[in-house]
Amino acid sequence: MPEIILEDPDGTFAMLRDSVAAFAQRFDGAKSLRARRGAGRDLDRDIWSAMAEAGWLGLMLPEDLGGAGLGLSEQAILSEALGRALITEPLAQLSVFSGTLLAGAEPGAERSRLAEGLISGSLVVSPVWQTTDGGFAVVTATADVAGVTLSGTADLVVAAASADVFLVLARSKDERVLISVPAGSDGLSVSERPTVDGATLAQVRFDGCPVAAEQVLARGLLGNDLLDDAIQATRLTLAAELAGAGSKALEATVDYTKERVQFGKPIASFQAIQHRLVDMWSVAEFSCAAIVNALERLADEPGKPAALAVLAAKARAGDAAVDITRKAIHLHGAMGFTDECDIGLYMKRAVNLNATLGNPAQLRLQFVALERAA
Amino acid sequence: MPEIILEDPDGTFAMLRDSVAAFAQRFDGAKSLRARRGAGRDLDRDIWSAMAEAGWLGLMLPEDLGGAGLGLSEQAILSEALGRALITEPLAQLSVFSGTLLAGAEPGAERSRLAEGLISGSLVVSPVWQTTDGGFAVVTATADVAGVTLSGTADLVVAAASADVFLVLARSKDERVLISVPAGSDGLSVSERPTVDGATLAQVRFDGCPVAAEQVLARGLLGNDLLDDAIQATRLTLAAELAGAGSKALEATVDYTKERVQFGKPIASFQAIQHRLVDMWSVAEFSCAAIVNALERLADEPGKPAALAVLAAKARAGDAAVDITRKAIHLHGAMGFTDECDIGLYMKRAVNLNATLGNPAQLRLQFVALERAA
Amino acid sequence: MAEQQDWNSLSDTEFRKIFRSWVDENCPMRLRNMRKQRPVFDELADWYHALADKGWLSPVWPQEYGGMGLNAAKHIIYVEEWARLGCPRIPDHGIGLVGPLLIEFGTEAQKAHYLPRILSGEDVWCQGYSEPGAGSDLASLRTAAVRDGDSFIVNGQKIWTTLAHCANWILLLTRTSRDEKVKQKGITVLLVDLTSPGVTVRPIENLRQEADFCEVFFENVRVPAENLVGEVDKGWNLAKAVLGHERIFLGAPSRPEVALSRLEQLAEARGAFADPAFVARYARLRLDLYDLGSAFERFAKQLRDDGTLGADVSVLKIFCSELYQKITEETLDIAGEEARFLDDLPTGNGEVDAMNLYLDSRALAIFGGSNEIQRTILAKAVLGLPS
Amino acid sequence: MAEQQDWNSLSDTEFRKIFRSWVDENCPMRLRNMRKQRPVFDELADWYHALADKGWLSPVWPQEYGGMGLNAAKHIIYVEEWARLGCPRIPDHGIGLVGPLLIEFGTEAQKAHYLPRILSGEDVWCQGYSEPGAGSDLASLRTAAVRDGDSFIVNGQKIWTTLAHCANWILLLTRTSRDEKVKQKGITVLLVDLTSPGVTVRPIENLRQEADFCEVFFENVRVPAENLVGEVDKGWNLAKAVLGHERIFLGAPSRPEVALSRLEQLAEARGAFADPAFVARYARLRLDLYDLGSAFERFAKQLRDDGTLGADVSVLKIFCSELYQKITEETLDIAGEEARFLDDLPTGNGEVDAMNLYLDSRALAIFGGSNEIQRTILAKAVLGLPS
């Protein structure tokens, strides 16, 4: 089955894949997802701790913050494997996105505390910055005689109920600042809605939530690339997870159609089914090739070529995973339409990840606008 | 194979179909098209005369102008049959469009002369009104001491080299007028370009071309529906021709794939080919149903419902014929890629008709704009 | 009880008006445009009884059995108005399947016993056709019925049995003899009481996590011989026959119609109609739906004129199910990041159940014969393509 | 004559630079970006001879035979730069097919005789594989070669023989024995002089009304036995072997690249980039092309690393040919009414050959094994699906 093909001289990638496979033996992805969904929870804390123990949460964080100091290639291989195994805890947001912001924040005690907690799994650090249309939320930090307070609303917050700390992107006068807000702070409220893949997304409201000086992790975020870097890294992570999910859904469908007999033959022997499976395999191959291209551009041609490549990779992997899993459902027949069959969980997961941080249509438009910009 | 299904209590439709079948025995469509293309001509005058003798050119013209006084249903059945037989002389423009304009023009000697000539085939009456983008050409009628003259340029003129008379839609001050201009008039020039289906479209230039009072056939065309009626009737005619061409291309492909043996079996026995053929058949059925719906709306609900139905029918029939003939080429294999095989002529014909008076994307937008207009 | 009238003698317009106005007045608003495609009997009981009292529960049963006795043309109007008013689908296996089967092939005793109990809601039926190894290839079913004195003993398993957990009777296709050459031979139709010892019903949740179908297990279930319909070993054609003209409704535009209205609602709320790229995609879907209406009417007319339909009618089901999917996919696309939510999307003017419809739209292309099977049937039946 | 150098020892960048600059300087501008996909020998003779003199005509032949001896990695650069500079495809059956075949399987006498005559342009070769009854199913070919003393007598017919009317030699697959069980057995490769008595060549016009392929008829054509390549009855694997890594180039992005640049040119001229609906469709095509580049690189890398490719490489050809069609279809769509013209469309900044490309794009999905065949091969070879 298609996978991200990278040279692996020291065996790091093989090791990462093996460690996910071993992990999936302990924590079955589909079973865990159903359990979390049944409980209405947004994060499985046991799994999260185990992921921390595996060293995955701080994979890309620099070593001076306690991380492994690895790069996006390692992250992509890891996330692809997690996607295959349907391990759906929100690593992309809670580790890659939050981690990139922390790595780029100003050195200080709070930053060190959060990084350490993030890496060890003891702190769930959830980023807060979007509206439901994917744009920037308006959360404003205002200073008066009583001190600085936050007000405003953000959406699409993952693991909000489980979060220990919110990493809030706020406006303060003309600049954008990054603020750490402990869960349970005064004036902070959270309301959750279920996601299609059995977790939740929350609206987080700040109503005069007090902020101490040491909670401000970074300033001047309009003028630098930190946020763009975080979005880019997260998109590539999501692309890899989508590629893994798509590839696994294809594999499951190939297996199913080889076994399922109708009219005296396995349905995989019917030409119409075969061609459909080949088309699914093709887009899976293209996803992996697009991700490899993005990783190479990031290494060789940072800037515009890399930005284009990441947009293309997320768009392709999202389109492919959604397309593959839809067809997979169909090829599983009535069985595919049941909740008991794991294939539906892959489809729902693909729908969520595909819509996260830009769906393919939006990303393609960004690509063209960027490419055609003088 | 799919066809336009209408109740035929007095057998008119069956008679029309039979007459086209007999006609096609005398004038083989593909052979005639190749001959005309080889000669670089825009009209086969012999075929045109024979079509006149068959009574087809004045089918919808009122009886008081010498026509048969029949309706769009008869025209649709006729054009569908012509489409099947690949009889490609531009009936839609030279009979339906020109005829509708003449029928709506003001009574007078010139109108009677043109109608008679159109019906008998002795005059080729070619409408002149468009630019290459399908919009209205700017041809201006100006009066000064020397009299009225025409100036301006129009495009997409069919049979311009063969035309005896041009039916020019011109601007005169604030109104739109219809003017008859004899071929060979002073200041009139014609330059032809080949069309994909082996005829030509011309640019017609008027450079101070004199116009006598009796050449003005109608005035005030901005305020009435004549032009809209002509466009609507022509679109439905084109839709029917497209439906006929698509249905025949499907039939030819079914026949070919039943005969063509590869790997010891007719290729029509392979499931992937079968499903492709079924999809071709489906859109052909939908084309015919859309045309029947348009004819019924025109009869029962003139105005907006009919206008919507005609837009839908032309869009569907165009999309279907282009899609069917593309697939037909492919299913004919290498043979389909040769000029010797008639299937390519059907494909080229479909491309031309589909792009005439609005391609499907444009027509769909018009549909939505009209439907959503308060 | 029921109002009797020769509905077929009315003009289409008259009938449509009479039918529509009574239904609109009597079908409770809480049941209109339900999120569930198939509500269970208990949710609908009052509306069910109201229809039965009016004599309008069974559109095609002859009036002597308490139906309306509608011909195909009037039946289409019945279904169209039903959809237009957003009325819920009622548990319809008794009305649509068991009733017509018994009326055509049942004994007088069977008719006298079962038909009134369907109308009264006392019996709620389900349909036991599919098996784990016999889905698209229905003829290979294996649930066995063996004659034992004045009974049959049934062993085996059915699956995808819609709403079996809310039914008390099942129309069961069983195998009574094995002839591998012609698998359709040796199939027998039995009426089986689901409360019989040895029957186990296990609901299965679908993608929307609703239990609308079940597995049904039969372990030495004793079925009285008088519950046989027709003859032993000759049940196949009988089971097929009652499908009749109802196949046209699988391709009726109502599902994509509902989905498109939701797409429009969301698009209005999110400002998508100001984006020409959306409008172009919307236009394609809108025209597909419009043309599906024209194609539906083409077959409806044939049904009105000839009283019968060919295999070609399944083109509607293929087009309809694929259009339904395209519309729900577009709805998720314009939802952007909100496509991640399972619950309904607020619009300021009602909610849009984008994900509910998206998930539901997966079903129609699978059930009732997958679109692949339908295409293969069309290839042979309509285009005469070789095997 | 030819400059000899170990090209493979250069870095990719160095080689690319050297190759590109000489070609750019020496390939006549009148031959760049030609409308014809396959110009005939006479149109290109001076450029052909210039390449031969330079020793750059045959990228993969070993240098001892007058080639460049490029490995797969360098060959890809050769092809990429060729495409990027808009150089014309030269009649390449001698260079790409006959040369490698003889170098691997030919006798010393054959190599000494034929290879220099290919480089000099004295012999122009075509490839006699397909027959009327053997297209996708090539192994069922029937053109017969019967041994007669020191000759073979050939009877039969080939079709789709590219540029046979401009060639003087044909590489011919013939049937020398019939074994219906294994059709690939009994096939023999012969080198046949097209000026031999009994050979008739009939050009066939394609959809663009250009004669770029032919039928070739053989009536008792006498072929000397020394023109046999390899062994009698064992020609199948030999014919297949020389395809080698060249299959990757069937999926190279050059054709859709050219088509997309034409689409952009027309879109700029007609203002389509101001229409968000067009931009959305364009974006899809642009990204498809971009991703085809990534996928091409994925296989090119495999070729560089392993020196070989699997069956999976044909995914490129499928994607590439279908993308090429989509782009040319979109070009006609935005041409609006102008899609009716056969000739090129003026833009004020050069002409766009919309119809020429549209018609040309029909070919790639058919020739070199239809996309259906390719998908079936992939199903078995890559996914291991059962028959």
Side-chain angles (χ1 to χ4, degrees):
Chain A
M1 289 301 143
E3 64 175 15
I4 297 171
I5 303 172
L6 297 173
E7 278 178 52
D8 190 17
D10 57 1
T12 313
F13 299 144
M15 225 158 57
L16 275 168
R17 285 182 168 130
D18 288 347
S19 79
V20 175
F23 191 94
Q25 296 285 319
R26 284 173 61 205
F27 299 98
D28 179 82
K31 199 172 145 190
S32 308
L33 189 160
R34 287 195 180 90
R36 191 186 62 214
R37 182 181 68 180
R41 288 212 312 277
D42 59 356
L43 190 77
D44 185 319
R45 203 72 191 228
D46 291 342
I47 295 182
W48 194 246
S49 297
M51 291 169 82
E53 276 163 38
W56 298 340
L57 303 190
L59 198 76
M60 289 206 299
L61 273 170
E63 291 175 77
D64 61 10
L65 279 174
L70 297 172
L72 261 174
S73 294
E74 287 80 7
Q75 184 63 52
I77 296 290
L78 171 64
S79 290
E80 180 194 33
L82 295 172
R84 285 188 70 82
L86 201 63
I87 294 170
T88 57
E89 306 309 321
L91 191 79
Q93 289 92 348
L94 299 185
S95 160
V96 177
F97 196 92
S98 289
T100 307
L101 289 182
L102 284 180
E106 289 143 27
E110 176 69 0
R111 171 181 180 247
S112 299
R113 183 183 77 90
L114 296 186
E116 193 185 328
L118 190 162
I119 293 165
S120 70
S122 64
L123 292 180
V124 170
V125 182
S126 179
V128 174
W129 64 288
Q130 280 183 293
T131 54
T132 50
D133 68 358
F136 286 107
V138 181
V139 179
T140 311
T142 319
D144 66 12
V145 288
V148 178
T149 57
L150 279 182
S151 289
T153 304
D155 277 284
L156 306 177
V157 179
V158 301
S162 299
D164 302 294
V165 179
F166 294 104
L167 222 47
V168 183
L169 202 67
R171 274 181 180 281
S172 170
K173 295 184 189 155
D174 288 341
E175 64 168 356
R176 195 166 271 150
V177 297
L178 187 66
I179 298 174
S180 139
V181 178
S185 294
D186 288 346
L188 180 64
S189 61
V190 165
S191 72
E192 292 180 286
R193 285 171 61 191
T195 60
V196 59
D197 56 350
T200 75
L201 286 172
Q203 186 175 77
V204 176
R205 300 174 64 94
F206 303 89
D207 187 11
C209 176
V211 177
E214 59 270 25
Q215 286 170 249
V216 179
L217 296 165
R219 296 187 167 276
L221 292 182
L222 278 177
N224 74 25
D225 297 334
L226 181 57
L227 196 63
D228 285 345
D229 288 349
I231 291 173
Q232 196 158 285
T234 309
R235 281 192 179 138
L236 196 57
T237 301
L238 293 165
E241 199 171 341
L242 283 159
S247 183
K248 176 65 186 182
L250 167 63
E251 185 178 313
T253 308
V254 166
D255 291 346
Y256 179 81
T257 55
K258 280 178 177 171
E259 274 167 30
R260 172 74 176 165
V261 171
Q262 289 280 277
F263 305 102
K265 294 165 67 176
I267 63 173
S269 68
F270 293 106
Q271 197 182 37
I273 309 275
Q274 292 190 342
H275 288 194
R276 187 103 53 123
L277 288 166
V278 166
D279 287 339
M280 292 158 72
W281 168 81
S282 302
V283 293
E285 276 290 352
F286 269 65
S287 298
C288 294
I291 290 165
V292 170
N293 175 62
L295 291 169
E296 286 175 353
R297 292 290 79 70
L298 283 162
D300 301 342
E301 302 178 82
K304 187 164 156 176
L308 291 174
V310 171
L311 291 168
K314 169 71 165 65
R316 176 65 54 185
D319 258 343
V322 167
D323 182 56
I324 289 169
T325 53
R326 277 176 189 161
K327 287 180 173 141
I329 295 264
H330 184 80
L331 293 175
H332 276 74
M335 190 60 75
F337 194 64
T338 67
D339 183 61
E340 297 174 11
C341 184
D342 291 350
I343 199 70
L345 300 179
Y346 278 92
M347 189 266 270
K348 292 171 174 180
R349 182 66 176 162
V351 165
N352 183 350
L353 298 180
N354 181 53
T356 303
L357 284 184
N359 69 22
Q362 296 163 334
L363 299 170
R364 285 192 298 262
L365 291 180
Q366 286 183 37
F367 180 105
V368 168
L370 178 60
E371 184 177 52
R372 295 178 67 83
Chain B
M1 289 299 144
E3 64 176 14
I4 298 170
I5 303 172
L6 296 173
E7 277 178 53
D8 189 17
D10 56 3
T12 312
F13 299 144
M15 225 158 58
L16 275 168
R17 286 182 168 131
D18 289 347
S19 79
V20 175
F23 190 94
Q25 296 286 320
R26 283 173 61 205
F27 299 98
D28 178 81
K31 198 171 145 191
S32 308
L33 189 160
R34 288 196 180 89
R36 191 186 62 213
R37 182 181 67 179
R41 288 211 313 275
D42 60 355
L43 190 76
D44 185 321
R45 202 73 190 227
D46 291 342
I47 296 182
W48 194 247
S49 296
M51 290 169 82
E53 275 164 37
W56 297 340
L57 304 190
L59 198 75
M60 289 205 300
L61 273 170
E63 291 175 79
D64 60 10
L65 280 173
L70 296 172
L72 260 174
S73 294
E74 287 79 6
Q75 183 64 51
I77 296 291
L78 171 64
S79 291
E80 180 194 34
L82 294 172
R84 285 188 71 83
L86 201 65
I87 294 170
T88 57
E89 306 309 323
L91 191 80
Q93 289 93 347
L94 299 184
S95 160
V96 177
F97 196 91
S98 289
T100 307
L101 289 182
L102 284 179
E106 289 144 27
E110 177 69 357
R111 172 183 180 246
S112 298
R113 183 183 78 89
L114 295 185
E116 194 184 327
L118 190 163
I119 293 165
S120 70
S122 64
L123 292 179
V124 170
V125 183
S126 178
V128 174
W129 64 288
Q130 280 183 293
T131 55
T132 49
D133 69 358
F136 285 107
V138 180
V139 178
T140 311
T142 320
D144 65 10
V145 287
V148 177
T149 57
L150 279 182
S151 288
T153 303
D155 277 285
L156 305 178
V157 180
V158 301
S162 299
D164 302 294
V165 179
F166 294 106
L167 221 47
V168 183
L169 203 68
R171 273 181 181 280
S172 170
K173 295 184 188 153
D174 289 341
E175 66 166 354
R176 196 167 269 151
V177 296
L178 187 66
I179 297 175
S180 140
V181 177
S185 292
D186 288 346
L188 179 65
S189 60
V190 166
S191 71
E192 291 180 284
R193 285 171 60 192
T195 59
V196 60
D197 56 349
T200 75
L201 285 173
Q203 186 175 77
V204 175
R205 300 175 63 93
F206 303 90
D207 188 11
C209 176
V211 177
E214 60 269 25
Q215 286 170 246
V216 179
L217 294 167
R219 297 185 166 278
L221 292 183
L222 278 177
N224 73 26
D225 297 334
L226 181 57
L227 197 64
D228 285 344
D229 288 349
I231 291 173
Q232 195 158 286
T234 309
R235 281 190 179 139
L236 196 56
T237 301
L238 292 165
E241 198 171 341
L242 282 159
S247 181
K248 175 65 186 182
L250 167 63
E251 185 178 314
T253 308
V254 166
D255 290 347
Y256 179 81
T257 55
K258 281 179 177 171
E259 274 166 30
R260 172 75 176 164
V261 172
Q262 290 280 278
F263 304 102
K265 293 165 67 176
I267 63 173
S269 68
F270 292 108
Q271 198 183 36
I273 308 274
Q274 292 190 343
H275 288 193
R276 186 103 55 122
L277 288 166
V278 166
D279 287 340
M280 293 159 72
W281 168 81
S282 302
V283 293
E285 276 290 353
F286 269 65
S287 298
C288 294
I291 290 166
V292 170
N293 175 61
L295 291 168
E296 285 175 354
R297 293 288 81 70
L298 283 162
D300 301 342
E301 302 179 83
K304 186 164 157 176
L308 291 173
V310 171
L311 291 168
K314 169 70 165 67
R316 176 65 52 184
D319 258 343
V322 167
D323 183 57
I324 290 168
T325 53
R326 277 176 188 160
K327 288 180 173 142
I329 295 265
H330 184 81
L331 292 175
H332 276 73
M335 190 60 74
F337 195 63
T338 65
D339 183 60
E340 297 175 10
C341 184
D342 291 350
I343 199 70
L345 300 179
Y346 277 91
M347 189 265 270
K348 292 171 174 179
R349 181 65 175 163
V351 165
N352 182 349
L353 298 180
N354 181 53
T356 303
L357 285 184
N359 69 21
Q362 296 163 334
L363 298 171
R364 285 193 297 260
L365 291 180
Q366 286 183 36
F367 180 106
V368 168
L370 177 60
E371 185 178 51
R372 294 180 67 83
Chain C
M1 59 181 238
E3 184 185 345
Q4 293 282 0
Q5 186 174 348
D6 180 6
W7 302 110
N8 296 327
S9 69
L10 298 181
S11 79
D12 285 1
T13 316
E14 275 176 301
F15 173 70
R16 192 182 290 275
K17 204 177 139 200
I18 293 171
F19 182 74
R20 182 188 178 91
S21 79
W22 185 84
V23 171
D24 197 13
E25 221 161 275
N26 289 276
C27 180
M29 286 315 290
R30 69 177 165 79
L31 297 181
R32 304 286 186 93
N33 296 309
M34 289 181 83
R35 185 186 161 110
K36 267 191 190 177
Q37 285 290 350
R38 286 180 172 277
V40 303
F41 187 85
D42 287 350
E43 300 173 83
L44 306 166
D46 49 351
W47 171 229
Y48 190 97
H49 294 309
L51 281 164
D53 290 348
K54 179 78 173 170
W56 286 12
L57 185 59
S58 302
V60 298
W61 297 10
Q63 296 197 344
E64 56 179 304
Y65 297 115
M68 294 178 86
L70 301 187
N71 63 22
K74 294 292 187 296
H75 188 196
I76 287 172
I77 293 169
Y78 181 107
V79 174
E80 281 176 353
E81 291 304 320
W82 195 269
R84 210 156 290 164
L85 292 167
C87 299
R89 184 161 179 184
I90 56 177
D92 52 8
H93 291 112
I95 296 155
L97 187 71
V98 179
L101 184 82
L102 292 181
I103 287 165
E104 193 166 350
F105 303 105
T107 62
E108 287 309 315
Q110 286 172 336
K111 284 188 266 194
H113 178 74
Y114 292 106
L115 297 181
R117 295 163 66 96
I118 291 172
L119 293 177
S120 70
E122 194 172 347
D123 288 350
V124 177
W125 285 83
C126 61
Q127 165 194 12
Y129 282 23
S130 293
E131 297 184 5
S136 294
D137 178 18
L138 192 57
S140 65
L141 65 87
R142 301 192 305 177
T143 293
V146 178
R147 186 70 185 232
D148 178 49
D150 57 356
S151 304
F152 291 91
I153 308 295
V154 175
N155 278 285
Q157 179 192 355
K158 294 289 172 180
I159 194 167
W160 318 126
T161 314
T162 303
L163 299 183
H165 59 309
C166 307
N168 57 340
W169 280 85
I170 187 168
L171 179 75
L172 198 67
L173 288 197
T174 63
R175 178 156 301 288
T176 35
S177 82
R178 298 178 188 285
D179 178 345
E180 282 302 317
K181 294 278 165 48
V182 189
K183 290 189 294 187
Q184 287 89 339
K185 288 185 182 171
I187 287 175
T188 297
V189 178
L190 296 179
L191 310 173
V192 181
D193 184 343
L194 282 173
T195 63
S196 309
V199 176
T200 313
V201 174
R202 188 182 77 86
I204 307 172
E205 287 195 350
N206 65 22
L207 282 180
R208 296 181 292 148
Q209 289 186 268
E210 289 167 356
D212 68 4
F213 38 52
C214 300
E215 286 181 293
V216 186
F217 301 89
F218 300 86
E219 199 184 341
N220 294 321
V221 176
R222 184 166 293 273
V223 179
E226 69 249 33
N227 289 14
L228 166 70
V229 185
E231 294 175 52
V232 170
D233 288 349
K234 292 186 179 164
W236 178 255
N237 292 329
L238 193 142
K240 286 273 166 186
V242 293
L243 286 176
H245 73 258
E246 307 244 350
R247 285 174 304 149
I248 195 174
F249 297 122
L250 284 173
S254 52
R255 278 196 185 89
E257 240 165 46
V258 168
L260 196 80
S261 73
R262 296 293 186 281
L263 172 60
E264 289 165 351
Q265 189 183 342
L266 190 66
E268 299 279 8
R270 299 295 182 268
F273 278 108
D275 171 15
F278 169 74
V279 174
R281 296 192 306 272
Y282 166 78
R284 196 179 276 275
L285 300 170
R286 175 67 191 96
L287 272 284
D288 277 357
L289 179 61
Y290 182 88
D291 292 347
L292 175 60
S294 299
F296 184 81
E297 177 56 25
R298 171 235 179 284
F299 287 98
K301 194 185 289 172
Q302 180 183 340
L303 187 56
R304 283 198 294 271
D305 294 349
D306 307 348
T308 180
L309 285 168
D312 51 358
V313 71
S314 64
V315 68
L316 295 178
K317 188 262 190 182
I318 296 175
F319 192 96
C320 178
S321 59
E322 294 177 358
L323 174 59
Y324 184 30
Q325 293 188 345
K326 282 184 229 169
I327 296 170
T328 64
E329 290 164 11
E330 177 64 32
T331 310
L332 280 200
D333 283 349
I334 68 161
E337 297 261 351
E338 291 181 275
R340 302 162 69 187
F341 289 113
L342 177 65
D343 59 352
D344 299 348
L345 305 180
T347 70
N349 179 26
E351 302 199 315
V352 170
D353 56 338
M355 189 59 69
N356 178 52
L357 290 173
Y358 177 79
L359 297 176
D360 183 65
S361 74
R362 304 291 114 196
L364 191 60
I366 299 171
F367 292 94
S370 77
N371 286 1
E372 285 75 23
I373 300 290
Q374 302 288 351
R375 283 189 168 86
T376 299
I377 290 171
L378 285 170
K380 314 247 186 271
V382 178
L383 297 179
L385 304 184
S387 293
Chain D
M1 60 183 235
E3 186 184 343
Q4 292 281 1
Q5 187 174 350
D6 180 5
W7 301 111
N8 296 328
S9 69
L10 298 182
S11 79
D12 285 1
T13 315
E14 276 176 301
F15 173 69
R16 193 184 289 276
K17 203 177 138 201
I18 293 171
F19 182 74
R20 182 188 176 92
S21 79
W22 185 84
V23 171
D24 198 14
E25 222 162 274
N26 289 275
C27 180
M29 286 313 291
R30 69 176 166 80
L31 298 181
R32 305 287 185 91
N33 296 309
M34 289 181 84
R35 184 187 161 108
K36 266 190 189 178
Q37 283 292 350
R38 286 181 172 275
V40 302
F41 187 84
D42 287 350
E43 299 172 82
L44 306 166
D46 49 352
W47 170 229
Y48 190 98
H49 294 311
L51 281 164
D53 291 348
K54 179 77 174 171
W56 286 14
L57 185 60
S58 301
V60 297
W61 297 11
Q63 295 198 346
E64 55 179 305
Y65 298 115
M68 296 178 85
L70 300 186
N71 63 21
K74 295 290 187 297
H75 188 197
I76 287 172
I77 293 169
Y78 181 107
V79 174
E80 281 176 352
E81 291 304 320
W82 196 269
R84 210 156 289 165
L85 293 166
C87 299
R89 183 160 178 184
I90 56 176
D92 52 8
H93 290 113
I95 297 155
L97 186 72
V98 179
L101 184 82
L102 292 181
I103 288 165
E104 193 166 350
F105 302 105
T107 62
E108 288 308 316
Q110 286 172 337
K111 285 188 264 195
H113 178 75
Y114 292 106
L115 297 181
R117 294 164 65 96
I118 291 173
L119 294 177
S120 69
E122 194 172 347
D123 287 349
V124 177
W125 284 83
C126 61
Q127 164 194 13
Y129 282 23
S130 293
E131 297 184 5
S136 295
D137 178 18
L138 193 57
S140 67
L141 65 87
R142 301 193 305 176
T143 293
V146 178
R147 186 71 184 234
D148 179 48
D150 57 356
S151 304
F152 291 91
I153 308 296
V154 175
N155 279 285
Q157 180 192 353
K158 294 289 172 180
I159 194 167
W160 319 126
T161 313
T162 303
L163 298 182
H165 59 309
C166 307
N168 58 340
W169 281 85
I170 187 167
L171 178 75
L172 199 67
L173 288 196
T174 63
R175 178 157 300 286
T176 36
S177 82
R178 297 177 189 284
D179 178 343
E180 283 302 317
K181 295 275 166 50
V182 189
K183 290 190 294 187
Q184 288 90 339
K185 288 185 182 171
I187 287 175
T188 296
V189 177
L190 297 178
L191 310 173
V192 181
D193 184 342
L194 282 173
T195 63
S196 309
V199 176
T200 314
V201 174
R202 189 181 77 86
I204 308 172
E205 288 194 350
N206 65 22
L207 281 180
R208 297 181 292 149
Q209 289 187 269
E210 289 167 356
D212 69 3
F213 37 53
C214 301
E215 286 181 294
V216 186
F217 301 90
F218 300 86
E219 199 185 340
N220 294 320
V221 176
R222 184 167 291 273
V223 179
E226 70 250 33
N227 290 14
L228 166 70
V229 185
E231 295 175 53
V232 170
D233 287 350
K234 293 186 179 165
W236 178 254
N237 292 330
L238 193 143
K240 286 272 166 187
V242 293
L243 286 176
H245 73 258
E246 306 244 350
R247 286 173 304 148
I248 195 174
F249 297 123
L250 283 173
S254 52
R255 278 195 184 88
E257 240 164 47
V258 167
L260 196 81
S261 73
R262 296 292 185 283
L263 171 60
E264 288 165 352
Q265 190 183 341
L266 190 67
E268 299 279 8
R270 299 294 183 269
F273 278 108
D275 170 15
F278 170 74
V279 175
R281 296 193 305 271
Y282 166 78
R284 195 178 277 274
L285 299 171
R286 175 67 191 96
L287 272 285
D288 277 356
L289 179 62
Y290 182 88
D291 292 346
L292 175 60
S294 300
F296 183 81
E297 177 56 24
R298 172 235 179 284
F299 287 99
K301 193 184 289 171
Q302 181 182 341
L303 188 54
R304 283 197 295 270
D305 294 349
D306 307 347
T308 180
L309 286 168
D312 52 357
V313 70
S314 64
V315 68
L316 295 178
K317 188 260 191 185
I318 295 175
F319 192 95
C320 177
S321 59
E322 294 177 357
L323 175 59
Y324 185 29
Q325 293 187 345
K326 282 184 230 168
I327 296 171
T328 64
E329 289 164 11
E330 178 64 31
T331 310
L332 281 200
D333 282 350
I334 68 160
E337 296 261 352
E338 291 181 275
R340 301 162 70 186
F341 289 114
L342 177 64
D343 59 353
D344 299 348
L345 304 180
T347 69
N349 179 25
E351 302 199 315
V352 169
D353 57 337
M355 189 59 69
N356 178 53
L357 290 172
Y358 178 78
L359 297 176
D360 184 64
S361 73
R362 303 293 115 195
L364 191 61
I366 299 172
F367 292 95
S370 76
N371 286 1
E372 285 76 22
I373 300 291
Q374 302 287 352
R375 283 190 168 86
T376 298
I377 291 171
L378 286 170
K380 314 246 186 269
V382 178
L383 297 179
L385 304 185
S387 294

